[in-house]
Amino acid sequence: MARYDEIGVGYALGRRTDPRWLAPVLDALAGARSVVDVGSGTGSYEPPSRRVVAVEPSAEMIRQRPAGAAPVVRAVAEALPFGSSAFDAALAVLTVHHWPDWRRGLTELRRVSRRQVVLAYDTRLHNDFWLVREYVPEVAALERSRPSAHDIAEFLGASSVAELPVPWDFTDGVFPAYWRRPAAYLDPAVRRSCSALAQTPPDAVARGMARLRADLASGRWQENHADLLTLPEWDAGFRLIVS
């Protein structure tokens, strides 16, 4: 996907595998000897000790895949270059919302695999995140244009949908990863790793960050969100869908 050739620079530094999400992904793939990882990015949640083939359209993301990562094919989800039922399972981690034709992409996942494991999120809950609600409301329009986890689960006829809460010290810098560490969003490198912010007009993000910086300095953010500061994890809407 061409946009990640632009916004994906340095992505691997901010988006590091967190074992607390890797474990349920591996459980969902149990018994699958062959896996196609569609929209693989840098391969953060690819299962070890399996035959894995990655699919990724962005040259920039492919460049950041670590040594020893699964072989990668440059292609798009909507036109997978594999035969029917070529894999035991298809994995798609936080990628479906980027696909221009997500229904066609999911249809391709079903065609090439006997099981589909998709990590997606509830766009409504993302839009209720304090960073969107109070500082960068422009993100909401982008999120409303994306398929939500329940849309994906319904289309796939999912057999299970599991909540994946975000720990307060999460290492994978997804958009709401810093829900209890708000100062992190003032770092441009952190924002570049969040597609929702990277794809929002820079002037809107700059205005929001100026307000956040002021509220952190005054203590207003801490006062308004004192309830978050003692939580070990928070539901930002991430869902692991299996069909």
Side-chain angles (χ1 to χ4, degrees), residues 205-228:
V205 175
R207 286 194 300 270
M209 293 306 102
R211 289 194 296 269
L212 177 58
R213 184 178 290 105
D215 284 355
L216 288 171
S218 70
R220 181 179 179 184
W221 186 93
Q222 295 86 336
E223 180 180 351
N224 288 345
H225 300 287
D227 57 320
L228 296 180

Side-chain angles (χ1 to χ4, degrees), residues 22-237:
L22 179 60
V25 169
L26 295 181
D27 286 347
L29 293 170
R33 293 174 296 177
S34 59
V35 178
V36 58
D37 183 15
V38 180
S40 62
T42 59
S44 297
Y45 293 95
E46 289 172 2
S49 306
R50 321 279 177 96
R51 180 173 72 86
V52 178
V53 176
V55 174
E56 172 57 48
S58 166
E60 175 59 32
M61 299 300 276
I62 291 171
R63 185 188 65 78
Q64 295 179 63
R65 292 176 64 82
V72 60
V73 175
R74 193 171 183 189
V76 296
E78 295 89 341
L80 296 175
F82 310 111
S84 298
S85 302
F87 299 90
D88 293 330
L91 177 65
V93 175
L94 297 178
T95 178
V96 176
H97 59 281
H98 290 302
W99 299 351
D101 187 341
W102 62 271
R103 293 178 181 86
R104 182 176 175 185
L106 292 178
T107 299
E108 280 287 87
L109 258 62
R110 288 194 298 198
R111 182 182 66 80
V112 304
S113 67
R114 289 176 281 279
R115 185 191 322 167
Q116 298 80 45
V117 177
V118 177
L119 177 51
Y121 61 89
D122 183 329
T123 55
R124 179 185 56 83
L125 290 181
H126 261 43
N127 277 346
D128 196 39
F129 178 32
W130 59 258
L131 188 63
V132 178
R133 203 174 57 238
E134 301 170 23
Y135 296 99
V136 195
E138 292 83 359
V139 169
L142 173 64
E143 296 292 10
R144 285 193 295 269
S145 73
R146 292 171 160 179
S148 196
H150 71 271
D151 301 316
I152 294 166
E154 182 178 14
F155 186 86
L156 287 174
S159 56
S160 68
V161 178
E163 177 185 315
L164 291 189
V166 181
W168 77 270
D169 56 349
F170 202 47
T171 60
D172 187 345
V174 294
F175 177 43
Y178 306 98
W179 58 270
R180 211 181 98 174
R181 296 170 287 168
Y185 291 108
L186 302 180
D187 183 345
V190 166
R191 298 197 299 273
R192 280 195 299 270
S193 295
C194 304
S195 67
L197 292 174
Q199 292 179 256
T200 298
D203 57 339
V205 175
R207 286 194 300 270
M209 293 306 102
R211 289 194 296 269
L212 177 58
R213 184 178 290 105
D215 284 355
L216 288 171
S218 70
R220 181 179 179 184
W221 186 93
Q222 295 86 336
E223 180 180 351
N224 288 345
H225 300 287
D227 57 320
L228 296 180
L229 297 177
T230 58
L231 295 180
E233 60 185 25
W234 177 65
D235 179 15

